[in-house]
């Protein structure tokens, strides 16, 4: 159905940065954008429907490019411990942290995981999110990683949402491999990843490169396997220390390297050359009360694309609002509201390998957008969460919100 959407302003985010058209119109057809431009240039078209957006500001549908939205249990008890001064690394060393979510996730059925994840994902959707990435990584064996990835696929089937599923089997060492990290990496490479990929459950491969997780050499073995299977890679890198995981990611043309508080200027240069997106996660920075900022000036100077995501997870960022992350990106990391908006649209799409189809409002791209009743685009980064009045369009159809 051809639809004309008008009486609006549009932040198109075309060409990878903030750009706006005032008093604009958009024509959608068959789920795609057929035309977009100033309303004054709108030629008369045969349209089945014309929609008056009431002076709204239209942005691309928001993209949350880094989440761990599928998990069992929660870790509010650890939150209390950390408030008493126990660190994230200390909790992990005591068998808490990721390992405690692994126990709860293994104990949960696929239906239970689906039901709890759906609620969290719907909270993100109420905030204007139309595309989301979901990582596995709390199963850590074939059956349980499969269970998580199947939930991610089912969320895409049952909700008006695009979902990319990332295999994060190399998130932590499962208890049955204690002291045998190399053997676990070999098991992922030889058994888990080929099986999960063959079942069509994996869009990308991720790992946690950190002293308390996996070394760069172990991550590299995983990346070599991913390349062999034709899967793109991403990496949790430089969150708590500098191991140059982000440079390693760049050497493997990773879609993104994520966290990055401890990255160096040389890492930024390598990422810029490779086109690897820097995904910043201010929710985890805030929730862990970190003080080391990602090197924003170096990222900007070398032209690294910067995305922002919720990192929605039970341990370090129980964040149910991507717009809150826009605010935190500005407040904590000194991003401009325009950079933050690019970070949850056009650059987030690139971080998921969806840059050709999503993330900006241009002819031929998927017609996913949000019409916000706000005065200026900066309002999206200004309000601390909350439910802003809006209309959400997915593949050219308005969805109830
Ligand atoms: O992205 N850094 C590792 N992974 C998650 C935390 C997972 C957890 O603590 O459960 C993150 O912050
Ligand atoms: Fe994460």
């Amino acid at each position: 159905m051809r639809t004309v959407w008008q009486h609006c302003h549009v932040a198109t985010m075309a060409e990878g940065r903030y750009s706006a058209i005032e008093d604009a119109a958009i024509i959608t057809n068959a789920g795609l954008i057929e035309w977009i431009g100033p309303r004054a240039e709108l030629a008369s078209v045969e349209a089945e429907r014309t929609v008056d957006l009431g002076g709204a500001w239209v942005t691309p549908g928001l993209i949350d490019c880094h989440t761990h939205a599928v998990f069992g249990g929660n870790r509010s008890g650890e939150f209390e411990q950390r408030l008493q001064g126990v660190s994230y690394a200390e909790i992990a060393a005591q068998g808490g942290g990721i390992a405690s979510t692994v126990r709860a996730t293994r104990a949960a059925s696929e239906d239970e995981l689906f039901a709890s994840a759906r609620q969290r994902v719907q909270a993100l959707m109420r905030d204007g999110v139309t595309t989301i990435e979901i990582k596995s990584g709390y199963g850590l064996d074939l059956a349980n990683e499969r269970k998580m990835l199947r939930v991610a696929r089912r969320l895409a089937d049952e909700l008006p949402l695009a979902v990319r599923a990332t295999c994060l089997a190399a998130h932590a060492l499962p208890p049955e491999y204690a002291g045998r990290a190399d053997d676990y990496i070999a098991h992922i490479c030889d058994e888990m990843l080929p099986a999960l990929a063959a079942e069509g459950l994996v869009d990308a491969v991720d790992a946690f490169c950190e002293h308390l997780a996996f070394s760069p050499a172990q991550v590299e073995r995983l990346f070599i396997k991913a390349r062999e299977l034709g899967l793109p890679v991403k990496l949790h890198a430089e969150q708590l220390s500098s191991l140059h995981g982000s440079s390693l990611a760049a050497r493997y043309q990773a879609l993104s390297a994520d966290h990055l508080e401890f990255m160096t200027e040389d890492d930024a240069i390598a990422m810029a050359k490779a086109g690897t997106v820097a995904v910043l996660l201010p929710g985890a920075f805030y929730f862990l009360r970190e003080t080391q900022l990602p090197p924003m000036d170096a990222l900007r100077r070398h032209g690294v694309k910067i995305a922002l995501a919720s990192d929605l997870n039970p341990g370090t960022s129980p964040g149910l609002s991507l717009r809150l992350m826009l605010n935190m990106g500005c407040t904590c990391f000194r991003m401009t509201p325009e950079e933050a908006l690019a970070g949850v649209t056009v650059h987030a799409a690139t971080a998921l390998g969806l840059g050709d189809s999503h993330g900006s409002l241009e002819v031929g791209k998927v017609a996913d957008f949000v019409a916000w009743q706000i005065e200026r685009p900066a309002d999206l980064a200004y309000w601390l969460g909350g439910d802003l009045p809006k209309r959400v369009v997915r593949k050219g159809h308005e969805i109830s919100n």
Side-chain angles (χ1 to χ4, degrees):
M1 177 166 74
R2 178 175 285 122
T3 306
V4 179
W5 311 78
Q6 58 185 20
H7 193 189
C8 60
H9 312 295
V10 183
T12 65
M13 313 313 287
E15 280 153 46
R17 67 190 128 72
Y18 179 83
S19 47
I21 308 172
E22 303 226 352
D23 194 9
I26 304 170
I27 302 175
T28 59
N29 195 9
L32 301 178
I33 297 174
E34 196 174 75
W35 187 89
I36 182 164
R39 191 163 55 104
E41 293 173 18
L42 179 66
S44 71
V45 282
E46 294 283 317
E48 280 96 321
R49 214 159 74 97
T50 299
V51 181
D52 183 327
L53 291 172
W57 266 98
V58 175
T59 68
L62 304 191
I63 299 176
D64 195 345
C65 67
H66 180 141
T67 88
H68 309 249
V70 176
F71 57 83
N74 86 36
R75 308 222 299 271
S76 63
E78 288 181 9
F79 173 55
E80 290 180 292
Q81 270 183 286
R82 282 196 303 95
L83 293 174
Q84 303 294 328
V86 189
S87 75
Y88 181 64
E90 283 163 344
I91 290 171
Q94 292 159 11
I98 294 172
S100 77
T101 300
V102 171
R103 288 190 289 277
T105 304
R106 286 179 171 184
S109 69
E110 191 173 309
D111 284 343
E112 286 165 344
L113 289 179
F114 177 77
S116 65
R118 181 177 48 192
Q119 284 188 15
R120 294 187 279 269
V121 167
Q122 283 177 322
L124 290 171
M125 291 173 72
R126 279 194 293 278
D127 220 16
V129 169
T130 53
T131 299
I132 183 179
E133 185 250 19
I134 300 179
K135 300 174 194 296
S136 65
Y138 294 121
L140 309 187
D141 62 25
L142 178 56
N144 286 293
E145 288 290 297
R146 177 189 286 125
K147 181 171 71 177
M148 293 187 70
L149 292 165
R150 283 170 54 95
V151 170
R153 288 285 187 247
R154 209 170 131 194
L155 287 162
D157 290 343
E158 298 194 20
L159 295 171
L161 181 74
V163 178
R164 301 301 277 177
T166 299
C167 180
L168 178 58
H171 193 195
L173 201 56
E176 51 284 10
Y177 277 89
R180 295 190 296 131
D182 284 329
D183 291 349
Y184 180 56
I185 292 290
H187 176 59
I188 297 174
C189 293
D190 298 342
E191 315 282 338
M192 292 170 74
L193 203 52
L196 296 168
E199 290 170 43
L201 291 171
V202 183
D203 299 317
V205 176
D206 193 353
F208 187 15
C209 187
E210 195 58 66
H211 290 298
L212 54 81
F214 297 99
S215 68
Q218 289 163 339
V219 169
E220 184 156 15
R221 280 157 52 201
L222 183 72
F223 281 2
I224 289 169
K225 186 70 197 184
R227 181 179 274 178
E228 212 179 288
L229 294 168
L231 294 168
V233 298
K234 316 166 79 59
L235 192 63
H236 285 72
E238 271 71 76
Q239 179 184 10
L240 307 170
S241 62
S242 171
L243 297 181
H244 302 292
S246 43
S247 287
L248 168 66
R251 279 208 302 286
Y252 283 81
Q253 275 78 46
L255 293 173
S256 69
D258 304 36
H259 285 288
L260 302 177
E261 281 85 343
F262 287 85
M263 76 184 288
T264 63
E265 178 144 14
D266 283 347
D267 295 325
I269 293 169
M271 287 176 65
K273 266 204 199 120
T276 297
V277 178
V279 177
L280 303 185
L281 304 167
F285 171 88
Y286 162 84
F287 199 70
L288 293 177
R289 306 172 81 182
E290 296 290 352
T291 51
Q292 170 89 22
L293 291 167
M296 300 305 299
D297 290 342
L299 290 170
R300 289 185 184 113
R301 196 162 47 245
H302 297 292
V304 181
K305 293 174 180 161
I306 304 173
L308 273 175
S310 71
D311 196 15
L312 167 55
N313 78 70
T316 63
S317 188
L320 297 172
S321 163
L322 189 56
R323 270 195 319 97
L324 179 58
M325 301 303 149
L326 294 186
N327 179 275
M328 287 185 180
C330 298
T331 311
C332 300
F333 294 164
R334 306 280 187 268
M335 293 173 79
T336 67
E338 293 178 357
E339 284 177 321
L341 185 57
V344 296
T345 54
V346 64
H347 299 325
T350 305
L352 295 182
L354 295 175
D356 290 340
S357 54
H358 292 72
S360 64
L361 298 174
E362 296 174 85
V363 172
K365 288 205 169 183
V366 174
D368 286 358
F369 55 84
V370 186
W372 308 88
Q373 287 300 333
I374 53 176
E375 286 179 25
R376 338 173 26 236
D379 292 1
L380 297 177
Y382 163 70
W383 296 106
L384 289 168
D387 187 15
L388 296 184
K390 70 184 122 8
R391 297 167 75 169
V392 180
V393 174
R394 160 105 175 109
K395 288 188 179 167
H397 294 284
E398 189 159 354
I399 57 176
S400 59
N401 193 14

